Amino acid sequence: QVQLVESGGGLVQPGGSLKLSCAASGSILRRNAMGWYRQVPGKQRELVAVITSGGSTNYADSVKGRFTISRNVAKNTVYLQMNSLKPEDTAVYYCFADLWDSMVATSGADWGQGTQVTVSS
């Protein structure tokens, strides 16, 4: 129902920065939350950051103080600014757009294809 296109992933050294973008199109409600999860081989997908249509945010403890989520509601676009990157941040990052304005992704969420972030020297 909702198409999500992610960009901005790549290879960065520890301590560096990356900014991810995700643009949503198709059938989407203005009230929808958007955000990011990440997944590494052998582990479950985990929440990174979520932002509601009103600007409320939720971050994983592991990224608080380093990552910042933001959005342009009119453009249905969400961003993830990642600073002070660590090797443990290496993962495939997935964007979502949700039917509801929740602090976590619900069963009403649509997902992007994922973009690889690798933090290594």
Side-chain angles (χ1 to χ4, degrees), residues 14-62:
S17 298
L18 284 174
K19 186 175 183 179
L20 306 183
S21 299
C22 175
S25 62
S27 181
I28 185 169
L29 300 176
R30 182 172 294 275
R31 69 177 183 174
N32 282 4
M34 298 184 72
W36 301 87
Y37 279 63
R38 65 188 181 188
Q39 189 169 29
V40 301
K43 297 182 66 177
Q44 298 298 118
R45 188 175 298 188
E46 67 172 354
L47 179 144
V48 178
V50 177
I51 186 167
T52 69
S53 61
S56 298
T57 58
N58 185 32
Y59 294 94
D61 288 342
S62 59

Side-chain angles (χ1 to χ4, degrees), residues 2-96:
V2 177
Q3 300 292 319
L4 298 168
V5 179
E6 298 147 308
S7 62
L11 175 65
V12 65
Q13 294 185 1
S17 298
L18 284 174
K19 186 175 183 179
L20 306 183
S21 299
C22 175
S25 62
S27 181
I28 185 169
L29 300 176
R30 182 172 294 275
R31 69 177 183 174
N32 282 4
M34 298 184 72
W36 301 87
Y37 279 63
R38 65 188 181 188
Q39 189 169 29
V40 301
K43 297 182 66 177
Q44 298 298 118
R45 188 175 298 188
E46 67 172 354
L47 179 144
V48 178
V50 177
I51 186 167
T52 69
S53 61
S56 298
T57 58
N58 185 32
Y59 294 94
D61 288 342
S62 59
V63 308
K64 287 180 180 177
R66 300 188 297 118
F67 292 10
T68 302
I69 189 170
S70 61
R71 73 185 294 171
N72 185 318
V73 175
K75 292 184 176 181
N76 290 320
T77 301
V78 65
Y79 309 92
L80 186 67
Q81 178 66 51
M82 304 184 292
N83 299 324
S84 302
L85 282 161
K86 305 174 180 179
E88 51 263 45
D89 295 317
T90 296
V92 178
Y93 284 70
Y94 296 91
C95 173
F96 76 89

